[in-house]
Amino acid sequence: MTRAAAILDALEVAGGEPLGVSDLARSLGIAKSSTSHLCQALEDARIIQRRENGYVLGRRTVELAGAYLSGFDEVRSFYELCSRTVSLRDHVVQIALLDGTDVLYLARYEGRSRFRLAANIGERFPAALTATGQALLAVLPPAEVTRRFRGVEIPHMTDASLSGVAALQARLAKARADGYAFDDEGVHPGVIGMAVRLTPRQAGGPMLSLGVTVLKNLATESMREKLLGELKSVAAALSNPLIFG
């Protein structure tokens, strides 16, 4: 099972480029014959599919991802709520899940901007650098943030990326005080992000956040205020099904 999962991981990293059995065997460090048997089993289950020059992820992975996402009530309501807004609907809005020191993006509303730099569904980004990640990390006690990032190097993605846990703690303290997280070109130059936490609908629910991504040169003070207000309204509706509808 672990080796099969490693094959799926390798195909995910390949980003749609087919990988042959030899490439996969080399990546896993196991015999080519064993790799071939694993690939055959995964292909029979439609989890991977064979192409002329190798294997890629199969359609079954999309079905499984859909089943996983259907377990999040927030995701099901997300797209309609965004479409009802006045300002948010013109921008890329996302729902993210905190996973260790990363955020995993579960949903993406395209809006009208067709913004290419924002993360796609299923992509991971460093939680320390993104507004969606900082909104979630701000919920944790500072001691837990320190523990979680012990030995973790925060990547330097732009000249504006924060550096070190002390800088992260300062940023999280500001997010707690402001009631939202703000990313000022920490992930992409010329791009800002704002995010708020989604209060779980049930005790013990997943830690999710709602964020919007905007080009900095378009983000006037007035626009940012409108976007933040709508972000909070959508977050409240997603967190409380009695508000939605």
Side-chain angles (χ1 to χ4, degrees):
M1 185 63 71
T2 302
R3 289 175 174 177
I7 289 176
L8 298 180
D9 287 343
L11 294 178
E12 177 196 5
V13 171
E17 289 294 322
L19 294 179
V21 172
S22 296
D23 297 324
L24 291 168
R26 194 177 307 112
S27 175
L28 271 63
I30 62 175
K32 186 175 177 180
S33 58
S34 299
T35 305
S36 180
H37 290 314
L38 286 169
C39 287
Q40 186 60 58
L42 290 170
E43 184 181 7
D44 291 343
R46 298 189 299 116
I47 296 175
I48 67 174
Q49 64 185 64
R50 191 198 307 262
R51 291 190 178 168
E52 185 176 345
N53 53 344
Y55 288 97
V56 296
L57 292 173
R59 294 180 180 177
R60 180 62 178 154
T61 58
V62 178
E63 296 168 358
L64 292 171
Y68 174 72
L69 291 175
S70 69
F72 294 88
D73 293 334
E74 296 88 346
V75 171
R76 290 202 294 267
S77 308
F78 165 72
Y79 295 98
E80 182 176 349
L81 283 168
C82 287
S83 69
R84 292 182 185 181
T85 63
V86 175
S87 300
L88 275 181
R89 67 183 181 185
D90 290 332
H91 301 279
V92 174
V93 190
Q94 298 156 304
I95 290 180
L97 167 74
L98 184 64
D99 186 18
T101 58
D102 290 338
V103 279
L104 174 66
Y105 287 91
L106 302 181
R108 170 177 166 136
Y109 177 83
E110 290 287 349
R112 300 173 182 172
S113 63
R114 300 299 177 189
F115 190 64
R116 299 299 179 188
L117 294 179
N120 293 312
I121 295 173
E123 284 192 319
R124 291 176 176 271
F125 272 78
L129 300 182
T130 62
T132 49
Q134 291 170 13
L136 293 169
L137 291 172
V139 179
L140 303 176
E144 168 58 19
V145 174
T146 298
R147 185 202 66 77
R148 190 171 291 217
F149 281 87
R150 186 173 293 120
V152 175
E153 183 177 349
I154 299 174
H156 190 76
M157 299 184 71
T158 73
D159 291 340
S161 296
L162 58 79
S163 179
V165 177
L168 173 60
Q169 294 281 26
R171 186 72 59 82
L172 298 181
K174 179 169 174 53
R176 294 183 191 104
D178 293 343
Y180 73 99
F182 179 66
D183 158 40
D184 189 1
E185 302 185 274
V187 178
H188 296 292
V191 177
I192 67 167
M194 295 184 292
V196 295
R197 180 205 180 199
L198 296 179
T199 303
R201 290 185 174 185
Q202 301 173 352
M207 292 185 65
L208 303 176
S209 62
L210 179 73
V212 60
T213 303
V214 188
L215 289 173
K216 187 172 183 176
N217 64 345
L218 300 178
T220 63
E221 183 87 21
S222 173
M223 175 189 284
R224 283 168 52 180
E225 288 179 0
K226 290 178 182 177
L227 290 174
L228 181 59
E230 290 186 354
L231 207 61
K232 290 180 176 180
S233 295
V234 172
L238 289 174
S239 297
N240 185 350
L242 294 179
I243 297 176
F244 176 56

